[in-house]
């Protein structure tokens, strides 16, 4: 399927690995030129090289922490005038409600709410000027159904979701569509770290912790970064122009809800 976005430019934050890389890969396959970002330069350059080689697109890399003002300034310089923005960053650590102090909340709010808002504030005006733009925020299934050990994530992502619900409706008239993409369990380094944490807490092995978690998912497995990326690319396509402020859940049926 031709997504109708060949030749456009996208910034994909936090994209050297995992879900961000899945999104970058699917956009590259659709012919979109990329600005890719991550903190670690080595994995970032390797992923950028791979996408250039496989898809013949232009890729600019920005090795920087997207959650800091300095990192954001570097990203904005490289990404000025992009047509598509995919917001992503690492997720907060798990814990108990009694573990978290004000500083932990500020850090989670900064990474998973205020950073994507800063990127939208900087880049959406350029999209409005052109009369076309797409923003996809990678959030979490925890927006629909809380994951108790991820209280910092539950809180910060709920804030971003509220912001998107209103803002998407203010910019839709200019051809700019802002939506959220909610991963359930996907097989990435992040989920491996969470399984290791669960194993440590329960005394089970990591394999046992993974199997116990996957047994609760109706699809019986984790999602792949390719499945996630393809959905993101559709949400960035010409065909998603009537999708406004939605929360698209990709969770193998894990959230047990009728709607
Ligand atoms: P991942 O496999 O750990 O990959 C994270 C990517 O983001 C890496 O490329 C990493 O590179 C980059 N990154 C992390 N922090 C960054 C920062 N501050 N600035 C720039 N780049 C940064 O994680 P993932 O599983 O793809 O998860 C992506 C997001 O989805 C996270 O917020 C996670 O909480 C959320 N999520 C994931 C799942 C899941 O099942 N995987 C489920 C729900 C929600 P560097 O380390 O080199 O910076």
């Amino acid at each position: 399927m031709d997504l109708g976005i060949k030749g456009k430019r996208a910034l994909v934050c936090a994209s050297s690995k995992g879900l961000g890389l899945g999104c970058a890969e699917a956009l590259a396959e659709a012919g979109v030129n990329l600005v890719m970002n991550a903190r670690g330069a080595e994995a970032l350059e390797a992923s950028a090289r791979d996408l250039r080689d496989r898809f013949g697109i232009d890729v600019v890399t920005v090795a920087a922490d997207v959650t800091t003002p300095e990192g954001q300034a570097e990203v904005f310089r490289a990404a000025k005038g992009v047509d598509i923005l995919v917001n992503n960053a690492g997720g907060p650590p798990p814990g108990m409600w009694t573990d978290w102090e004000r500083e932990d909340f500020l850090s989670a709010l900064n990474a998973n709410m205020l950073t994507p808002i800063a990127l939208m504030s900087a880049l959406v005006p350029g999209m409005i000027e052109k009369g076309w733009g797409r923003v996809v925020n990678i959030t979490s299934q925890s927006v629909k159904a809380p994951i108790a050990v991820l209280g910092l994530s539950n809180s910060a992502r709920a804030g971003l979701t509220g912001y998107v619900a209103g803002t998407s409706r203010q910019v839709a008239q200019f051809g700019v569509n802002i939506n959220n993409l909610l991963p359930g369990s996907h097989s990435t380094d992040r989920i491996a770290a969470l399984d290791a944490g669960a194993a440590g807490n329960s005394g089970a092995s990591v394999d046992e912790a993974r199997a116990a978690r996957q047994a609760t998912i109706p699809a019986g497995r984790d999602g792949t970064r390719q499945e996630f990326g393809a959905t993101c690319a559709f949400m960035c396509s010409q065909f998603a122009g009537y999708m406004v402020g939605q929360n698209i859940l990709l969770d193998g049926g894990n959230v047990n809800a009728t709607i």
Side-chain angles (χ1 to χ4, degrees), residues 14 16-17 19 39-40 65-66 88-91 157 183-184 186 188 190:
S16 65
K17 300 177 189 169
L19 302 179
R39 292 165 303 183
D65 184 339
V66 75
N88 186 30
R157 297 189 199 278
H186 282 73
T188 66
R190 164 83 173 167

Side-chain angles (χ1 to χ4, degrees), residues 83-130:
D83 309 285
I84 295 167
L85 164 63
V86 180
N87 269 319
N88 186 30
M96 284 294 288
W97 67 278
T98 44
D99 295 339
W100 301 314
E101 306 289 343
R102 180 179 162 77
E103 285 311 312
D104 301 309
F105 280 100
L106 290 178
S107 165
L109 288 170
N110 178 54
N112 299 117
M113 177 184 172
L114 299 176
T115 292
I117 290 174
L119 283 148
M120 284 185 266
S121 298
L123 298 172
V124 166
M127 299 178 192
I128 289 175
E129 233 167 76
K130 286 193 268 190

Side-chain angles (χ1 to χ4, degrees), residues 134-137 177 179-181 230-237 240-241 243 246-248:
R134 300 283 185 266
V135 179
V136 174
N137 299 294
N177 297 75
N179 294 286
N180 302 321
L181 183 51
T231 308
C232 176
F234 175 79
M235 292 168 73
C236 297
S237 77
M243 186 187 286
Q246 296 303 297
N247 291 281
I248 306 299

